[in-house]
Each structure stands twice: as structure tokens, then as C-alpha cells.
Amino acid sequence: MKRSNSESAELIKKTVDYLKLQKISQQEIESRLNYTSLSKAKNHDRYPQPVIEKKTRNELLEELMSEFSLIYNPATDRIERKGDVTITPDLNDVQYYIMHYYAFARGVVDRALVKVINKRKVVMDYRIQEHWEGTYTVIENYTFIEVTKMGYTTPVKKLISLFSGTMKYGHDYLLGTYSTVKRDGFPAAGRIILERCSDENAAKTKLETASDYRIMAYLKDNVYITKLRTPNTLDEIVSTHHFHYLKLVGDYKFIYPADNGTMNAIDLSIEKDFSAHMEINQVIYNGYASFVNINTLNIRFTRKNQDSISISKQILNLHINVRRPFEGYVYSCSSSSPIIHAEPSSFISYLVLKKKYRPEVLKQLKPELLMAKRIESLV
């Protein structure tokens, strides 16, 4: 029977509601249909398009009825079973994963065993003495795991968010993040990887096997810790270095040596939000500033729209001596770049306040450049 888009949406909703009464979750329905957009398909008002996830609502409704042996009775306007078929949930489905994470306190990449039972319940056991239990939910392209640490007087929760894409289940690897409270009480967040295992024995073997070096490289040091405080003012959330940093905010000329023995001068700005910006050869570079110590400010620049945390994409690294600027407005810098001179290089550079910059300054500065050129011969 040919139904309109809105009529099919209403029947899809009725069918899903009926299955939920039979203790069949929407998550399991989507898994059996290999379809991740039931929430959209049910809601015609918000998603009126005729095709969702490569299927019309009529096609989806037919598959839904067929998979669960159901019919629609127009006389009663109800969804009913076809004959004496009994609908039962799958209660024996257990998926095993190893969760790889960076253990900040111990400085190592470690693992935990994760069991997903019936695509709903999660049991998580770390190699250290920690046992967690919770729920597993898939919403469109994302998987969410919420677990609670068991055996503790004060409940501690962990939220894991993963990207699962249009195929909800069966991925060998899932990338995601976690957010929780560390054992010492500090809120923490970081990256994780879930690696699927064929069965429990394979999972236990992998649990005691060191994580692959590629996993270690992906997770290493990607942990963020929040301080234990509830500030009364925003001034309380920044370090004492911040007020020292505010004195450096402004517009500068960045002076660096070219490989032909001359000096170049380009505009560079340092902002209040610890960002920095400059343009070289019509390419914009963004940087992030942080103090190495009270006397040295570091700025790492990358091309615009690239991950500024990734060292491999770093275009320019500045260590600025902010202790004693020459005449109060010329700062000397120790700099390095893998490509700014077409080859890896280290050089002395300068930051001069733009409002006090004069072209004659270039004549007073001696180029100091060391380039890692290819060695032609050692003879």
C-alpha cells in the first residue's frame, strides 16, 4: 500500500512504540535494521524530506514490519503481531572491547576491559582495582557510555563519547573522549580508543598486552585537568604569569633572517586570549602563547585551520626573552622552523613594538641563521 510521507512517519512511530512495549529498545531496532536514523524517520514535522539515510519512509516501514513480523490493522489503528510470532529481545549479545587511555598520574598508556551486554549495559574493569557499570546508548552517529564506579561510598561517574558513524556496531576501532573525576578528586578529560575483540579470551589477552605504538602516539599526553576551586572572580582562574603576559599584548614587527643574508620584517599580533597571528607570503598563521617560565614566553605557530596542538604541523616555534627588552620595546627570540627557510632551521629573531618600529632597525641587526642542509659528502 502506497502511503504519504507523513502517514509512513506516523506508522513508523507507532511501530517503534509498540516494540518498546515488548521490551525491544530503539537501539536494538536500529541495530537489526542497520539503520541509524529512526528518530528522524519518526519525526515528519522536523524532518520532512522523503529520503533519510538512503531510504524512503515507505521502504523503512516495510523493512520494520518484516523484520519483526508485524502488521498494521487499519480497523483498530493498531500495530499487531503477524500470526502467533513472539517478539523477543536478544539477551545473549556481548561485545568485548579494550579501552586504551592515557593514565596521567602514572605517565603511561593503559587499558581497561569493556563488555557491552545486549547493546544496553556496560561493565568496565581496569587493570587497577576499579570496577564500573553503566549504560550504552547510540544516538544517530554517536555512541555514549555512562558508567559509575562501584564499591565507593561517593558515586563517581564517567562519560565516554565516541563517533560510530552510520554503521552503529561492529567497528574494530572507535575514537572518542572521556570526562570524569580522577582518583585524587580533580576533574579530568582526555582521548580514548576502543578496540574490538572477538571474544572474552582475546580481550583478556589484549588487556595484558602493551598497547600498539600507534595508539600510544595518538593518546600520549592528551589529558586535561581542572583545578579544584570555585572562583568568585575570573581573576582567580588565571596564573600570576597572566598579568605579566598582559603587558606583552600588542602589535609587533617580527624580524627574522632570510637565507640570502638579509632580514625580513612582517606584522605579528599577540592577543589577550593567548593567541597570536601573522602572515607570511599571503599565508595566515595562528599561534598559541604560553610561559615556559617567568622570563620566557613560547609561541607555536601553525597554518590557519590546522590543529595547533599537533607538533608535526608546527611551522614556527618562538622562545621570547621577555625579561629585559632592549630599550623596553625590542625582544630577542630563539626560533626554529622545519620549513620557513625551505629546510629545518634555527635562528635569532626579534619582536619590535610596531608603533616604535623604524626600517633602520633592520640595518642594526645581524642575521644569525643555522640551516640543516643536506650533507653531500663527508670526505
Side-chain angles (χ1 to χ4, degrees), residues 46-96:
R46 187 170 179 181
Y47 303 98
Q49 59 266 39
V51 178
I52 299 175
E53 203 177 317
K54 299 181 180 180
K55 290 182 183 177
T56 66
R57 284 185 167 90
N58 266 314
E59 292 170 340
L60 176 62
L61 181 60
E62 290 178 6
E63 289 187 21
L64 185 57
M65 294 290 191
S66 175
E67 175 66 25
F68 293 94
S69 300
L70 300 173
I71 59 171
Y72 170 65
N73 186 340
T76 60
D77 190 26
R78 295 176 60 180
I79 303 297
E80 299 174 355
R81 297 181 194 172
K82 186 187 295 183
D84 296 325
V85 176
T86 300
I87 304 172
T88 57
D90 181 2
L91 299 177
N92 300 305
D93 180 20
V94 181
Q95 297 179 7
Y96 295 91

Side-chain angles (χ1 to χ4, degrees), residues 177-190:
T177 59
Y178 70 85
S179 178
T180 187
V181 175
K182 292 168 64 250
R183 301 182 85 181
D184 55 11
F186 287 84

Side-chain angles (χ1 to χ4, degrees), residues 38 50 108 129 143 160 163 224 262:
L38 269 182
V108 298
Q129 294 301 309
T143 297
I160 295 172
F163 177 75
Y224 303 90
T262 63

Side-chain angles (χ1 to χ4, degrees), residues 1 14 61 64 73 96 115 145 167 177 189 198 200 262 265 288 296 312 324 336 346 350 361:
M1 177 181 177
K14 285 180 182 289
L61 181 60
L64 185 57
N73 186 340
Y96 295 91
K115 291 192 292 186
I145 296 174
M167 186 179 78
T177 59
S198 57
E200 186 172 12
T262 63
Y288 180 76
T296 308
S312 63
R324 292 179 180 176
S336 63
S346 296
Y350 304 90
V361 172

Side-chain angles (χ1 to χ4, degrees), residues 305-327:
N305 298 326
Q306 287 190 355
D307 180 4
S308 60
I309 296 174
S310 174
I311 302 300
S312 63
K313 296 178 181 178
Q314 181 179 310
I315 185 68
L316 179 62
N317 191 21
L318 302 184
H319 282 93
I320 307 165
N321 185 347
V322 297
R323 183 182 181 186
R324 292 179 180 176
F326 177 71
E327 295 189 356

Side-chain angles (χ1 to χ4, degrees), residues 31-160:
S31 175
R32 287 171 64 167
L33 295 177
N34 192 25
Y35 185 85
T36 65
S37 302
L38 269 182
S39 295
K40 290 183 179 179
K42 293 189 301 181
N43 191 342
H44 179 267
D45 291 341
R46 187 170 179 181
Y47 303 98
Q49 59 266 39
V51 178
I52 299 175
E53 203 177 317
K54 299 181 180 180
K55 290 182 183 177
T56 66
R57 284 185 167 90
N58 266 314
E59 292 170 340
L60 176 62
L61 181 60
E62 290 178 6
E63 289 187 21
L64 185 57
M65 294 290 191
S66 175
E67 175 66 25
F68 293 94
S69 300
L70 300 173
I71 59 171
Y72 170 65
N73 186 340
T76 60
D77 190 26
R78 295 176 60 180
I79 303 297
E80 299 174 355
R81 297 181 194 172
K82 186 187 295 183
D84 296 325
V85 176
T86 300
I87 304 172
T88 57
D90 181 2
L91 299 177
N92 300 305
D93 180 20
V94 181
Q95 297 179 7
Y96 295 91
Y97 292 89
I98 292 297
M99 183 179 75
H100 303 266
Y101 67 99
Y102 180 67
F104 176 80
R106 290 175 284 138
V108 298
V109 172
D110 210 339
R111 296 160 299 286
L113 174 61
V114 179
K115 291 192 292 186
V116 180
I117 302 169
N118 299 327
K119 299 182 177 65
R120 289 190 291 275
K121 181 178 180 180
V122 173
V123 176
M124 182 182 297
D125 289 291
Y126 285 77
R127 293 190 336 125
I128 56 178
Q129 294 301 309
E130 285 188 8
H131 177 75
W132 302 63
E133 294 184 9
T135 58
Y136 181 93
T137 307
V138 178
I139 301 176
E140 295 190 1
N141 294 337
Y142 300 91
T143 297
F144 300 95
I145 296 174
E146 185 176 354
V147 288
T148 302
K149 188 188 296 186
M150 310 303 290
Y152 286 75
T153 305
T154 303
V156 176
K157 289 186 176 292
K158 185 194 307 290
L159 175 65
I160 295 172

